[in-house]
C-alpha cells in the first residue's frame, strides 16, 4: 500500500512538469553527458600551478554564492537563473572532496589546514608549518627547527635554484606586521597600529634585498600606484594595502584597494615572464571573516569576487600547461534551510511555509542560518528587519563571541595537467601531493622522465618554478602561539 501511494505521488509530480520544461532538462543533461564523454585527460607536466583557497568556503557557501550570483545578474536585467547559474570554477572538468580534520581535532583551524594543503601532512590544531609532534603554544619545540615542514612553495623555488628569500610577488593587507611600532603608517599617519618591536623594518629589508641582487622592484601601498606597476619592467612586487585586513569586496569601493582579480592578474603577468613557470597561491580570506561574524552577504560577495579572479587566471594562462586548483581550507557552521520557492531571495525569509512545516512558535526564519556566532539567537520580527542589508547578521542557534568552523568535507575543483587525479574523496594533505607530482617538485619525481610527459623546459629536471608567490587577500594572522 505504501509503495502504491508513493507511485501515485510520483506520477502526479511528473504530470505537473510541462513538455517544454521536460525537454529543457533532458537536453541540458544530454549536452552535459556528451561533454563528459568527450573529456580527455591532460597528462602533461604542469609548468605553472595556481592554488585558490576560499577560506571557509564550504559546500553550503558555494551553493548560496551561486544562487546569489544568479540573482545579482537578474537584478541587472540579465537573463540568469538563480539555481542553474554556475560559478566559473564549478565548470572545471574534475571535482573531488577533501576531509579537513586536524591530526588532533575533528574540526580544523586555518593555519593547520593551510599546512596540510601546502606541505602534504596533517598537523595539530592551532599550529602552522610544523609537524604533528608540536602542540598548540608549544613554542620551545617549534623553535628547535627540527619540526619544520617544507612547503610546495619552497620546493618549487628550490627547483629553480633561487634563494628562499626571494618571493616574486606578495600582495595583500597586514602592513602593521611589516612596520616598526615607532614608524608612521603612510595611510593612517598613526604609529599606534604597527606591531613590530624587534627593530626590523621588513619593507626596507625587502627593498634592500632586491637592490642587492640587482633586480627591478616596486613597493606600493595604494591602488593608484599598484595600477601604475608595469609587469614588463618589474621583477619583484610587494603591495601592502591596509594596516590590517583588506576590506570586504562589497565594502571596497573602486578606488580604495585593488580587487582580488586585479592582484591575480598582475601577479600572473609578472610571474609569467619566467620561462620555467611559477607557483601562485591566491587566498580569498575574508569569506572566513564574514562567516565568523555571521555576515552572510559579505561572505557570498567575497566568494564571487574570488571566482572572478579564477576567471582571470583562466583567461591569461593556458589550460594545457597550467594546473588550477580551487578549494577551501574548511567549512563553516552555515546552512541553507527550509523549502523556499525558486527565485526567492537567498538572503530573504522562507516564503513557503505551510502549517506542517512552520516553526512551533508560528514565526518565520531566513533561508540562510548559522549554527552559532555573535548574531541574535532569539526569534525576530522580520517585518522590521531588512535581511538583505549588508550589515544584517543571520540568526544563530547558539550565541558565541564568534561563529566556528564546520567539519564537513569541502570540494576540490581542478583543471589543467593531471587535474583528473582529483577524482574522489581525499585527505586534505592529498592536494599538496597532486600539485607537487603534476609540477615535478618535491620527492616524487621519477615519472618526470617518462615518455608520456613532455620534456621539461630548458632541459631542467623540473617544469616548475624559479619564481613563486605568497598571495594574501587578508594578512594571515593565525600563527603558532597566537590566541584564536
Amino acid at each position: 500500500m505504501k509503495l502504491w501511494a508513493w507511485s501515485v505521488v510520483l506520477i502526479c509530480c511528473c504530470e505537473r512538469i510541462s513538455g517544454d520544461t521536460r525537454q529543457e532538462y533532458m537536453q541540458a543533461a544530454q549536452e552535459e553527458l556528451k561533454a563528459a564523454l568527450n573529456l580527455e585527460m591532460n597528462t602533461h607536466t604542469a609548468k605553472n600551478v595556481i592554488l585558490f583557497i576560499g577560506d571557509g568556503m564550504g559546500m553550503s557557501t558555494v551553493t548560496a554564492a551561486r544562487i546569489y550570483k544568479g540573482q545579482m545578474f537578474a537584478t541587472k536585467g540579465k537573463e540568469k537563473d538563480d539555481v542553474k547559474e554556475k560559478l566559473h570554477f564549478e565548470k572545471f572538468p574534475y571535482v573531488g572532496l577533501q576531509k579537513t580534520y586536524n591530526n588532533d581535532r575533528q574540526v580544523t583551524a586555518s593555519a593547520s589546514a593551510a599546512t596540510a594543503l601546502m606541505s602534504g601532512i596533517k598537523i595539530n590544531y592551532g599550529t602552522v608549518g610544523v609537524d604533528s609532534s608540536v602542540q598548540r603554544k608549544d613554542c620551545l619545540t617549534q623553535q628547535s627547527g627540527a619540526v619544520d615542514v617544507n612547503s610546495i612553495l619552497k620546493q618549487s623555488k628550490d627547483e629553480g635554484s633561487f634563494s628562499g628569500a626571494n618571493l616574486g610577488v606578495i600582495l595583500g593587507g597586514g602592513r602593521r606586521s611589516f612596520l616598526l611600532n615607532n614608524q608612521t603608517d603612510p595611510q593612517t599617519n598613526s604609529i599606534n597600529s604597527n606591531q613590530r618591536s624587534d627593530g626590523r623594518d621588513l619593507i626596507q629589508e625587502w627593498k634592500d634585498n632586491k637592490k642587492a641582487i640587482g633586480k627591478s622592484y616596486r613597493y606600493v601601498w595604494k591602488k593608484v600606484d599598484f595600477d601604475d606597476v608595469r609587469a614588463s619592467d618589474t621583477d619583484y612586487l610587494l603591495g601592502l594595502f591596509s594596516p590590517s585586513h583588506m576590506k570586504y569586496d562589497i565594502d571596497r569601493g573602486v578606488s580604495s584597494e585593488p580587487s582580488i582579480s586585479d592582484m591575480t592578474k598582475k601577479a600572473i603577468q609578472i610571474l609569467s615572464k619566467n620561462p620555467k613557470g611559477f607557483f601562485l597561491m591566491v587566498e580569498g580570506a575574508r569569506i572566513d571573516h564574514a562567516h565568523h561574524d555571521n555576515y552572510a552577504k559579505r561572505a557570498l560577495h567575497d566568494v564571487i569576487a574570488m571566482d572572478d579572479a579564477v576567471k582571470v587566471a583562466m583567461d591569461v594562462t593556458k589550460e594545457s600547461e597550467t594546473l588550477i586548483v580551487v578549494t577551501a581550507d574548511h567549512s563553516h557552521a552555515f546552512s541553507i534551510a527550509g523549502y523556499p520557492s525558486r527565485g526567492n531571495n537567498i538572503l530573504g525569509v522562507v516564503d513557503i511555509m505551510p502549517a506542517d512545516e512552520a516553526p512551533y512558535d508560528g514565526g518565520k526564519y531566513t533561508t540562510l542560518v548559522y549554527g552559532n556566532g555573535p548574531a541574535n539567537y532569539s526569534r525576530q520580527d522580520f517585518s522590521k528587519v531588512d535581511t538583505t542589508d549588508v550589515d544584517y547578521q543571520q540568526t544563530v542557534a547558539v550565541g558565541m563571541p564568534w561563529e566556528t568552523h564546520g567539519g564537513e568535507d569541502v570540494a576540490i575543483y581542478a583543471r589543467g595537467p593531471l587535474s583528473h587525479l582529483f577524482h574522489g574523496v581525499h585527505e586534505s594533505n592529498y592536494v599538496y601531493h597532486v600539485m607537487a607530482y603534476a609540477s615535478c617538485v618535491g620527492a616524487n619525481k621519477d615519472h618526470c622522465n617518462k615518455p608520456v610527459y613532455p620534456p621539461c623546459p630548458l632541459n631542467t629536471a623540473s617544469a616548475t618554478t624559479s619564481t613563486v608567490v605568497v598571495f594574501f587577500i587578508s594578512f594571515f594572522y593565525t600563527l603558532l602561539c597566537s590566541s584564536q
Side-chain angles (χ1 to χ4, degrees):
M1 181 61 74
K2 289 183 179 179
L3 180 62
W4 175 83
W6 276 111
S7 299
V8 172
V9 172
L10 290 174
I11 292 172
C12 292
C13 290
C14 290
E15 289 301 320
R16 292 193 187 105
I17 301 176
S18 68
D20 291 340
T21 303
R22 180 162 46 214
Q23 183 59 31
E24 178 185 338
Y25 285 121
M26 289 290 290
Q27 182 177 344
Q30 284 294 312
E31 291 174 354
E32 188 173 349
L33 174 61
K34 187 179 297 183
L37 290 170
N38 291 329
L39 193 63
E40 295 183 1
M41 293 182 182
N42 181 344
T43 58
H44 293 180
T45 298
K47 178 182 179 183
N48 312 311
V49 177
I50 305 177
L51 172 62
F52 285 89
I53 301 177
D55 196 336
M57 191 179 71
M59 287 304 302
S60 56
T61 300
V62 172
T63 302
R66 177 200 311 143
I67 297 172
Y68 179 61
K69 178 182 178 181
Q71 293 179 346
M72 284 176 62
F73 276 116
T75 59
K76 295 178 181 178
K78 298 181 181 180
E79 292 298 323
K80 292 286 184 178
D81 189 292
D82 62 353
V83 177
K84 295 181 182 178
E85 176 67 18
K86 283 187 177 181
L87 301 170
H88 295 295
F89 59 78
E90 290 185 296
K91 300 173 186 177
F92 283 9
Y94 297 102
V95 180
L97 295 175
Q98 53 140 320
K99 298 181 283 185
T100 64
Y101 67 90
N102 279 155
N103 179 62
D104 61 344
R105 298 208 189 183
Q106 290 180 342
V107 180
T108 187
S110 294
S112 45
T115 302
L117 294 172
M118 297 287 284
S119 300
I121 63 169
K122 285 181 179 284
I123 62 173
N124 293 328
Y125 179 88
T127 63
V128 61
V130 293
D131 64 33
S132 58
S133 67
V134 181
Q135 298 295 323
R136 185 185 182 191
K137 298 187 178 182
D138 181 7
C139 293
L140 290 178
T141 302
Q142 188 271 335
Q143 289 170 358
S144 70
V147 295
D148 292 347
V149 296
N150 284 330
S151 71
I152 191 172
L153 181 73
K154 182 179 185 304
Q155 291 166 348
S156 296
K157 289 181 62 58
D158 288 345
E159 292 294 337
S161 301
F162 272 60
S163 167
N166 296 321
L167 301 180
V169 181
I170 306 172
L171 300 171
R175 195 166 56 235
R176 64 187 181 185
S177 297
F178 287 72
L179 293 174
L180 288 166
N181 53 13
N182 61 357
Q183 289 177 296
T184 301
D185 185 88
Q187 181 180 7
T188 64
N189 293 318
S190 170
I191 65 173
N192 297 324
S193 62
N194 299 332
Q195 297 180 334
R196 300 205 70 85
S197 58
D198 58 0
R200 298 180 63 185
D201 178 347
L202 296 189
I203 295 174
Q204 188 59 50
E205 287 187 20
W206 182 88
K207 292 178 180 179
D208 293 342
N209 174 266
K210 304 305 170 284
K211 185 176 181 179
I213 62 176
K215 295 293 185 178
S216 60
Y217 63 90
R218 288 285 303 273
Y219 163 66
V220 294
W221 60 268
K222 53 186 176 181
K223 186 177 184 298
V224 63
D225 292 335
F226 171 83
D227 293 339
D228 185 57
V229 173
R230 293 192 305 176
S232 59
D233 53 20
T234 305
D235 295 321
Y236 293 92
L237 175 62
L238 172 62
L240 301 172
F241 304 105
S242 173
S244 181
H245 307 297
M246 293 183 72
K247 295 178 181 178
Y248 291 107
D249 191 75
I250 201 170
D251 302 325
R252 179 172 55 85
V254 295
S255 61
S256 61
E257 297 175 353
S259 68
I260 186 173
S261 295
D262 296 333
M263 292 186 282
T264 298
K265 184 175 183 179
K266 189 84 72 176
I268 293 174
Q269 288 173 339
I270 293 174
L271 299 178
S272 294
K273 295 189 301 179
N274 193 306
K276 289 187 177 182
F278 61 84
F279 175 85
L280 170 67
M281 191 276 279
V282 182
E283 182 188 18
R286 302 232 68 185
I287 301 167
D288 177 75
H289 294 170
H291 275 322
H292 278 307
D293 286 331
N294 300 143
Y295 289 131
K297 186 170 185 176
R298 285 190 169 93
L300 303 187
H301 205 91
D302 265 49
V303 172
I304 294 171
M306 193 189 80
D307 185 55
D308 290 339
V310 173
K311 181 60 165 61
V312 166
M314 295 166 62
D315 290 342
V316 300
T317 61
K318 296 179 181 178
E319 184 173 1
S320 60
E321 65 180 18
T322 302
L323 173 63
I324 301 179
V325 180
V326 180
T327 190
D329 49 353
H330 55 75
S331 184
H332 274 273
F334 176 69
S335 298
I336 306 172
Y339 304 98
S341 62
R342 286 276 296 275
N344 191 57
N345 195 319
I346 189 65
L347 299 170
V349 176
V350 174
D351 60 338
I352 299 177
M353 204 175 299
D356 60 345
E357 295 174 4
Y360 293 134
D361 62 4
K364 296 183 177 182
Y365 59 95
T366 55
T367 303
L368 303 180
V369 293
Y370 286 94
N372 52 45
N376 195 327
Y377 57 91
S378 60
R379 304 293 290 161
Q380 299 183 53
D381 180 358
F382 289 107
S383 65
K384 300 178 181 178
V385 177
D386 180 5
T387 62
T388 67
D389 187 85
V390 69
D391 290 319
Y392 177 75
Q393 295 173 292
Q394 274 67 23
T395 304
V396 301
V398 180
M400 294 177 60
W402 55 80
E403 180 263 2
T404 69
H405 295 168
E408 70 270 22
D409 298 352
V410 299
I412 312 165
Y413 309 85
R415 78 167 213 167
L418 297 179
S419 55
H420 60 275
L421 297 178
F422 296 110
H423 65 287
V425 181
H426 309 287
E427 299 289 352
S428 55
N429 56 304
Y430 177 78
V431 175
Y432 156 85
H433 291 275
V434 173
M435 295 189 299
Y437 184 90
S439 57
C440 289
V441 304
N444 190 358
K445 297 188 293 187
D446 293 342
H447 61 286
C448 297
N449 296 321
K450 292 182 180 180
V452 69
Y453 292 87
C456 296
L458 303 183
N459 296 320
T460 64
S462 168
T464 315
T465 73
S466 62
T467 302
V468 291
V469 59
V470 179
F471 185 105
F472 295 107
I473 302 313
S474 161
F475 187 67
F476 189 54
Y477 65 95
T478 308
L479 300 174
L480 180 69
C481 302
S482 67
S483 60
Q484 290 190 342

